[in-house]
């Protein structure tokens, strides 16, 4: 399949490029205004394109979008209206209203539009989910990430599109919704700065409940020295995603190689060191070529963006920046 990667020099975009290469797809064009685009394109035999307007849409079948999130809706529409399939990084829109409009839009076009929640297609997380499903009624789930960030520079600290909530907790809130299978309501949320003096939070915590009474809590933090515990899935270069759940049939914890169910370790073969971006693209292509149902949809993206809005509305007042508290 012929691909373009838009935002190819970024953290996520460069990983989409590597994954497409690993899978042997034809990378036709890399679109990024950054200085290294020509060199990057040369390494994969693609054309370097400085702006989306200069991209020859006839030359591609599909595109990966990995941009500052406010740019996602317009380019998703332009690609899909030109008959191109779109894998768009999360969040697909800067706010809930635009995320909702994209749900209707996606239903109106004859192409595949998939949001980039790569944990949904990760075989480790899918194995955990299947085991959880087999354990009877879910009662409680707790999901946490502590991610290493030496600083909060760049767009990640901007109020509308950054912060630990929108950048990282969005994945965990999506998992919480998927595991419970119900709309969640925050009973409490906390947005604070523990390590960095920045316009957005480096710590997010929420405690939520579903209509049937399942409780879900999510903790997401950025710090220079995150604790790295032995259980869980390594994400980025340092920092673990940890999941623990209680059901009528006992307890389950995500481990480094599978899960621990009622105290017994179960390994899932082939999940250690898996290229999550490659698994995500593999699924995207399978949906396009074979009509396999999407494992994560534009509606799922809207649900999690709505949950983020609800968490912000439920948030208690920040405790103040580190510097203020020290004074
Ligand atoms: N799935 C994941 O695990 C994951 C991880 C990180 C980021 N993301 C998501 O990916 C998106 C990008 O994040 P990032 O961390 O890669 O950001 P980044 O800042 O590292 O990269 C963004 C890239 O987009 C380019 N760009 C900006 N405007 C452009 C335009 N108009 N046309 C083409 N290119 C343009 C920039 O030059 C830059 O190279 C965000 O939505 C983010 O939430 C997802």
């Amino acid at each position: 399949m012929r691909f373009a990667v838009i935002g190819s020099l970024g953290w996520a975009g460069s990983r989409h490029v590597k994954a497409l290469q690993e899978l042997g797809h034809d990378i036709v064009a890399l679109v990024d205004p950054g200085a290294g685009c020509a060199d990057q394109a040369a390494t994969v035999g693609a054309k370097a394109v400085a702006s989306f307007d200069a991209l020859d849409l006839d030359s591609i079948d599909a595109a990966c979008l990995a941009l500052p999130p406010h740019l996602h809706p317009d380019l998703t529409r332009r690609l899909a209206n030109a008959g191109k399939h779109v894998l768009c990084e999360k969040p697909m829109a800067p706010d809930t209203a635009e995320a909702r409009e994209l749900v209707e839009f996606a239903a109106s076009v004859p192409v595949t539009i998939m949001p980039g929640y790569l944990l949904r297609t990760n075989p480790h997380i899918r194995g955990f989910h299947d085991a959880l499903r087999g354990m009877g009624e879910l009662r409680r789930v707790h999901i946490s990430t502590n991610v290493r960030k030496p600083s909060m520079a760049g767009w990640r600290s901007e109020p509308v599109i950054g912060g630990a909530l929108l950048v990282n907790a969005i994945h965990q809130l999506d998992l919480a919704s998927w595991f419970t299978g119900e709309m969640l309501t925050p009973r409490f949320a906390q947005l604070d700065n523990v390590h960095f003096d920045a316009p957005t939070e480096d710590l997010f915590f929420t405690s939520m409940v579903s209509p049937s009474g399942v409780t879900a809590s999510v903790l997401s933090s950025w710090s220079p020295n995150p604790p790295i515990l032995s259980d869980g899935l390594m994400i980025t270069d340092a920092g673990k995603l940890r999941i623990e759940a209680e059901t009528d049939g006992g307890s389950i914890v995500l481990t480094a190689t599978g899960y621990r169910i009622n105290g017994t370790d179960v390994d899932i073969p082939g999940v250690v060191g898996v290229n999550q971006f490659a698994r995500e693209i593999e699924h995207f292509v399978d949906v396009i070529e074979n009509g396999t149902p999407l494992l994560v949809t534009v509606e799922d993206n809207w649900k999690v963006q709505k949950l983020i809005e609800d968490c912000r509305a439920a948030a208690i007042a920040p405790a103040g920046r580190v510097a203020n508290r020290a004074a």
Side-chain angles (χ1 to χ4, degrees), residues 10-12 22 33 44 90 101 119 186 193 230 235 237 292 321:
W11 193 95
E22 180 179 314
V44 294
K90 56 74 195 169
E101 284 168 17
L119 295 171
N193 287 69
S230 55
I235 48 170
D237 61 337
T292 304
R321 307 286 180 231

Side-chain angles (χ1 to χ4, degrees), residues 147-162:
V147 175
R148 187 170 75 82
K149 290 239 187 288
S151 82
M152 276 181 71
W155 67 264
R156 287 172 195 79
S157 75
E158 286 175 28
V160 180
I161 53 176

Side-chain angles (χ1 to χ4, degrees), residues 210-227:
S210 80
S212 73
V214 179
T215 64
S217 51
V218 162
L219 169 67
S220 184
S221 70
W222 292 347
S223 75
N225 300 297

Side-chain angles (χ1 to χ4, degrees), residues 200-250:
T200 47
E201 75 288 347
D202 59 43
L203 179 136
F204 166 74
F205 176 71
T206 187
S207 170
M208 303 173 288
V209 67
S210 80
S212 73
V214 179
T215 64
S217 51
V218 162
L219 169 67
S220 184
S221 70
W222 292 347
S223 75
N225 300 297
I228 302 191
L229 304 166
S230 55
D231 284 336
L233 170 74
M234 194 59 124
I235 48 170
T236 73
D237 61 337
K240 282 212 164 169
L241 167 71
R242 290 169 51 82
I243 309 176
E244 58 184 56
E246 273 182 71
T247 74
D248 286 349

Side-chain angles (χ1 to χ4, degrees), residues 33-55:
C37 190
D39 286 347
Q40 185 190 32
T43 63
V44 294
K47 189 175 172 192
V49 181
S51 82
F52 183 81
D53 290 336
L55 175 65

Side-chain angles (χ1 to χ4, degrees), residues 6-13 31-34 50-52 66-69 71-72 75 89-91 116 118 155-156 166-167 171 277:
I6 301 160
S8 60
L9 286 174
W11 193 95
V31 185
D32 201 300
S51 82
F52 183 81
L67 298 167
L71 300 174
H72 286 157
L75 296 195
E89 268 302 343
K90 56 74 195 169
L118 81 185
W155 67 264
R156 287 172 195 79
L166 207 55
V167 177
H171 285 294
F277 286 91

